Amino acid sequence: MPRTISPALKAHLQQDLTTLATCVKLTRRDGVVLGFTGADQDIVLDGVTYKATDGFDGSAMQASAGTGVDNLEIDGVLTDDRITEQDILTGKYDGAEVVFLRVNWADLSMGAVTLFRGSFGEITLRDGQFQVELRSLTQQLKTTVGEVTSPLCRCRRLGD
């Protein structure tokens, strides 16, 4: 995925000392938007409040230039009252859209760079903790949506 970076943020990234934070925007299928950040204070960006939390940890991101599937996992602890075990079990987070952003928390006017965009896959719960498989946009292209037909199709006529 091409990344656009403002000139100011690009210059900040090239410095020896930076004030960067990772923000995670989660949009459930019912429209609820949640924001999380590993920074020590809340960050408000484009109308979304990214709450400071230490309850999640993202695995190393893998990105490829071809059509291979990028992968990522998030491990978290159910300490944030916005994500409950009951909501996970009832499917409120199934297929939720997730976006990882990198920002300069000291100067948010520099904008953000998108590190990853995808959706929630399989969610595992165990002892007050959760693990989420994140599926990249590339993986959606590899998903079979319909049936494959052939000259020896089992269908006798249209609509059968």
Side-chain angles (χ1 to χ4, degrees):
M1 136 179 38
R3 293 183 174 92
T4 56
I5 303 173
S6 72
L9 185 56
K10 186 173 183 176
H12 182 72
L13 290 170
Q14 294 171 345
Q15 294 178 357
D16 291 334
L17 181 62
T18 62
T19 51
L20 299 175
T22 301
C23 296
V24 180
K25 180 180 176 184
L26 180 62
T27 307
R28 297 186 333 198
R29 290 188 296 172
D30 61 3
V32 173
V33 177
L34 303 172
F36 304 92
T37 182
D40 59 0
Q41 60 187 356
D42 293 351
I43 294 175
V44 179
L45 182 67
D46 296 332
V48 176
T49 300
Y50 295 87
K51 296 278 190 182
T53 181
D54 57 358
F56 73 89
D57 179 37
S59 66
M61 292 184 196
Q62 290 185 354
S64 58
T67 59
V69 176
D70 302 337
N71 65 32
L72 181 65
E73 287 182 346
I74 295 179
D75 294 323
V77 181
L78 293 172
T79 57
D80 192 308
D81 60 352
R82 298 177 298 162
I83 297 180
T84 65
E85 185 172 352
Q86 183 65 27
D87 286 347
I88 292 172
L89 292 173
T90 57
K92 288 188 177 181
Y93 291 94
D94 292 353
E97 178 186 348
V98 64
V99 179
F100 278 69
L101 303 168
R102 182 71 42 89
V103 299
N104 175 0
W105 58 263
D107 186 359
L108 296 174
S109 68
M110 290 183 178
V113 60
T114 302
L115 302 175
F116 177 88
R117 181 181 301 270
S119 62
F120 271 25
E122 184 178 340
I123 304 173
T124 307
L125 288 168
R126 190 176 331 126
D127 300 325
Q129 298 183 350
F130 64 91
Q131 184 176 54
V132 181
E133 171 196 46
L134 300 181
R135 298 180 177 157
S136 70
L137 297 176
T138 306
Q139 186 169 3
Q140 293 177 15
L141 294 173
K142 295 183 179 274
T143 303
T144 303
V145 177
E147 293 184 31
V148 177
T149 61
S150 69
L152 302 174
C153 180
R154 59 180 161 71
C155 183
R156 293 190 182 126
R157 62 185 172 156
L158 185 61
D160 199 11

